[in-house]
Amino acid sequence: MATVTVEINGRPYAVGCADGQEDRVRSLAGQFDAHVRQVAGEVGHVGDLRLFLMAGLLLADELHEAKVAVPPPPVVAPVVINGSGGEAGVAEALNAVAARLEKIALSL
């Protein structure tokens, strides 16, 4: 297990993470620090615990809005290939799948 020191609102914090995840933890800490500093700029210094709570709530709100903004992928009916069609049936089924994938891609 690795330990990374990150700086949040000017203070260092040691954080444990899986080996190889150090850069990701630093990046996430940077995002969190930006939110903490934004809150501190808006409300002044109210203590680290309260700043962290408010920044965490802002991040949770952003995550919620992102989830709401991206609709779940459409349910696609399975393609049925019957054995009597041979190669033409397979080609037709593949064309139907390709058309469905293009339709899904356009909706994203």
Side-chain angles (χ1 to χ4, degrees):
M1 177 172 236
T3 301
V4 177
T5 300
V6 297
E7 189 172 297
I8 307 294
N9 202 30
R11 290 190 173 174
Y13 294 91
V15 178
C17 65
D19 291 332
Q21 293 296 311
E22 296 89 349
D23 288 338
R24 179 163 172 77
V25 169
R26 285 185 193 101
S27 175
L28 293 170
Q31 292 175 7
F32 183 69
D33 181 52
H35 279 79
V36 169
R37 289 178 185 269
Q38 175 190 351
V39 171
E42 292 172 2
V43 300
H45 188 68
V46 293
D48 287 344
L49 184 60
R50 188 159 296 201
L51 285 175
F52 289 9
L53 172 63
M54 295 167 118
L57 290 172
L58 283 174
L59 285 167
D61 183 53
E62 287 179 15
L63 177 61
H64 173 75
E65 291 300 318
K67 285 180 177 179
V68 170
V70 178
V75 177
V76 178
V79 176
V80 178
I81 303 173
N82 61 28
S84 64
E87 287 181 15
V90 170
E92 185 179 324
L94 288 175
N95 284 335
V97 169
R100 288 180 184 169
L101 288 173
E102 288 175 3
K103 185 177 179 181
I104 291 169
L106 289 174
S107 70
L108 298 176

